[in-house]
């Protein structure tokens, strides 16, 4: 019986050493250690042994069971490792593959220009304000010295929503709104960028919706020379030191006197070309001294306070600065156009 046991041990250990998958290993476990297994069968024969022999054979049988169990467990673990390694190998991620490029957006060209202009004026002590795009007739016209039926209303063809509500035709209503909110005694120094709307037929230089930046400075002793100095500083910073500005007399109902500002043409250096229509100058804004009536309607005493205001077109400025020849490019959002101006 001892020989039987040791032969069984050798045989089992050999089989375990050779086996290569967990299922076969499990079969070996059942074949030797299971209820109907070979070891169990041998042990059943123990009854026939003498009293002296029984404990010796019993101990040996235990030893054989332990050694087979240990070999089975060890092999089981080994096979699991091998299986895991195989899985890792087949499911491995190739980290050397180049990644897919992520498309990164950027600010719209007009947004960049507006922010650049905002920064310039913030540097000169201006606050940035906002106003509604759907505006009342009062703020868009009346508070700016344009009573109903005033012929100058025709200068700005208007989208009306009702008799009293309209899409603002300029950012100037924010002048009146800001002054009003300031109770007639505090100085005002603000710029206001925003969208404006006019009933124009769209073409290369007109868009029914475009942008403006309004500027307003009200205080005691604000003079025309302050306006000129401010605009000159702005133009030089925006377009370069070699640019010159020119103020021409003009008319706006809400400023008196009124001016329009031209900047010397960059393309021909003032000699005259198609961009500046052979004049050497390009108009970029309107402005003037705030009309006394506008001041008093907003609660400021025109005998004490004076101010200047201006309105410029960032579209125009962007077109000039970057050589864009069609204003509609800003509003049709063709990514091929826009991404040329993304600053990284
Ligand atoms: N609001 C005027 C326009 O749209 C521009 C302007 C602003 C003129 C402020 C004078 C003062 O044409």
């Amino acid at each position: 019986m001892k020989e039987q046991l040791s032969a069984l041990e050798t045989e089992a250990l050999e089989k375990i050493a050779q086996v290569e998958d967990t299922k076969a290993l499990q079969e070996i476990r059942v074949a030797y250690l299971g209820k109907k297994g070979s070891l169990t069968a041998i042990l059943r024969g123990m009854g026939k042994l003498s009293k002296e022999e029984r404990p010796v054979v019993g101990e040996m049988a235990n030893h054989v069971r332990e050694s087979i169990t240990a070999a089975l467990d060890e092999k089981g673990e080994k096979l699991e490792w091998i299986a895991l390694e195989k899985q890792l190998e087949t499911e491995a991620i190739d980290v050397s593959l180049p990644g897919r490029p992520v498309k990164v957006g950027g600010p719209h060209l007009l947004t960049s220009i507006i922010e650049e202009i905002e920064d310039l004026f913030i540097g000169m002590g201006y606050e940035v304000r906002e106003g509604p795009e759907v505006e009342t007739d009062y703020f868009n016209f009346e508070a700016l010295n344009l009573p109903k039926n005033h012929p100058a209303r025709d200068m700005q063809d208007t989208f009306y929503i009702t008799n009293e509500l309209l899409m603002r035709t300029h950012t100037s209503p924010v002048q009146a709104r800001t002054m009003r909110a300031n109770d007639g005694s505090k100085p005002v120094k603000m710029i206001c960028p925003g969208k404006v709307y006019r009933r124009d037929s769209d073409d290369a230089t007109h868009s029914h919706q475009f942008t403006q930046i309004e500027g307003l400075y009200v205080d005691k002793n604000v003079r025309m020379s302050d306006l000129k100095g401010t605009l000159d500083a702005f133009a030089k910073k925006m377009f370069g030191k070699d640019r010159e500005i020119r103020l021409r007399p003009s008319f706006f109902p809400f400023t008196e006197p009124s001016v329009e500002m031209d900047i010397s043409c960059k393309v021909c250096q003032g000699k005259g070309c198609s961009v500046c229509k052979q004049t050497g100058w390009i108009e970029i804004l309107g402005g003037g001294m705030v009309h006394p009536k506008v001041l008093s309607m907003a609660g400021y005493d025109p005998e004490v306070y004076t101010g200047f205001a201006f309105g410029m077109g960032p579209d125009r400025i962007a077109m000039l600065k970057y050589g864009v020849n069609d204003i509609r490019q800003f509003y049709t959002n063709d990514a091929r156009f826009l991404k040329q101006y993304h600053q990284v």
Side-chain angles (χ1 to χ4, degrees):
M1 205 161 192
K2 280 185 194 163
E3 288 85 62
Q4 254 181 314
L5 276 172
S6 82
L8 182 128
E9 183 181 8
T10 327
E11 184 190 292
L13 294 180
E14 237 164 62
K15 277 194 183 162
I16 292 170
Q18 276 160 17
V19 82
E20 262 168 26
D21 67 277
T22 42
K23 199 175 159 223
L25 190 71
Q26 180 61 15
E27 278 165 13
I28 295 174
R29 190 184 288 271
V30 174
Y32 286 93
L33 306 180
K35 269 187 199 157
K36 292 176 186 160
S38 338
L39 185 64
T40 326
I42 294 176
L43 291 179
R44 275 208 196 103
M46 288 238 311
K48 289 176 202 147
L49 293 177
S50 67
K51 259 190 189 170
E52 294 77 38
E53 271 179 322
R54 238 182 262 165
V56 185
V57 175
E59 203 192 315
M60 190 173 169
N62 274 341
H63 167 77
V64 170
R65 173 187 289 278
E66 271 164 28
S67 97
I68 295 178
T69 309
L72 282 168
D73 290 349
E74 195 187 320
K75 186 70 186 225
E77 245 174 62
K78 211 173 180 183
L79 289 178
E80 261 174 44
W81 269 110
I82 291 171
L84 185 67
E85 248 164 47
K86 253 195 198 152
Q87 192 188 357
L88 286 177
E89 216 167 85
T90 50
E91 292 176 7
I93 299 162
D94 183 355
V95 287
S96 66
L97 258 186
R100 293 200 186 93
V102 178
K103 284 186 186 156
V104 181
H108 191 281
L109 175 56
L110 280 179
T111 308
S112 307
I113 287 277
I114 288 170
E115 283 175 359
E116 194 180 339
I117 297 173
E118 279 178 2
D119 283 348
L120 287 179
F121 280 96
I122 288 169
M124 293 192 266
Y126 286 72
E127 273 176 45
V128 179
R129 293 293 181 104
E130 277 184 10
E133 286 171 33
V134 176
E135 189 49 285
T136 58
D137 184 276
Y138 177 79
F139 280 117
N140 197 78
F141 290 129
E142 284 193 46
L144 297 171
N145 197 28
L146 274 151
K148 290 212 160 71
N149 302 319
H150 192 292
R153 284 194 177 201
D154 293 347
M155 283 165 76
Q156 303 179 356
D157 238 343
T158 311
F159 286 117
Y160 276 93
I161 296 166
T162 66
N163 273 344
E164 293 304 321
L165 273 185
L166 46 81
M167 300 307 290
R168 69 176 176 196
T169 55
H170 50 178
T171 43
S172 299
V174 186
Q175 286 185 35
R177 285 181 175 275
T178 312
M179 281 192 278
R180 269 223 177 173
N182 247 17
D183 80 20
S185 60
K186 286 184 226 125
V188 179
K189 215 173 178 187
M190 71 91 188
I191 57 163
C192 165
K195 293 193 179 92
V196 300
Y197 302 81
R198 288 191 199 173
R199 266 177 40 199
D200 267 329
S201 306
D202 294 359
D203 61 26
T205 53
H206 294 87
S207 168
H208 62 281
Q209 182 258 293
F210 56 105
T211 49
Q212 279 194 338
I213 297 183
E214 195 77 11
L216 175 69
Y217 176 28
V218 177
D219 204 342
K220 292 170 184 160
N221 295 319
V222 178
R223 289 166 301 186
M224 188 81 179
S225 53
D226 297 317
L227 173 63
K228 191 173 178 194
T230 304
L231 295 181
D232 192 43
F234 158 73
K236 295 229 154 74
K237 281 188 183 148
M238 196 71 197
F239 296 100
K241 286 206 164 46
D242 51 341
R243 290 284 78 104
E244 277 176 42
I245 65 160
R246 169 175 93 170
L247 297 181
R248 282 179 292 109
S250 185
F251 171 78
F252 299 103
F254 32 93
T255 45
E256 183 57 38
S258 301
V259 294
E260 270 170 321
M261 184 174 104
D262 299 335
I263 181 154
S264 58
C265 182
K266 194 179 178 178
V267 179
C268 61
Q269 304 297 338
K271 287 190 200 85
C273 66
S274 64
V275 174
C276 58
K277 298 188 183 122
Q278 311 303 331
T279 62
W281 298 91
I282 295 167
E283 184 200 321
I284 60 161
L285 64 80
M289 299 308 290
V290 181
H291 197 287
K293 273 195 188 165
V294 173
L295 284 170
S296 63
M297 273 189 278
Y300 282 80
D301 181 354
E303 299 291 331
V304 182
Y305 286 90
T306 50
F308 66 68
F310 56 84
M312 62 175 91
D315 311 68
R316 253 296 178 79
I317 292 170
M319 287 168 85
L320 275 178
K321 202 166 166 165
Y322 295 106
V324 177
N325 57 13
D326 193 324
I327 192 172
R328 290 168 293 191
Q329 293 277 30
F330 297 134
Y331 301 106
T332 43
N333 288 333
D334 184 336
R336 289 167 302 181
F337 167 76
L338 294 175
K339 75 175 174 211
Q340 298 174 63
Y341 301 99
H342 287 172
Q343 284 146 8
V344 188

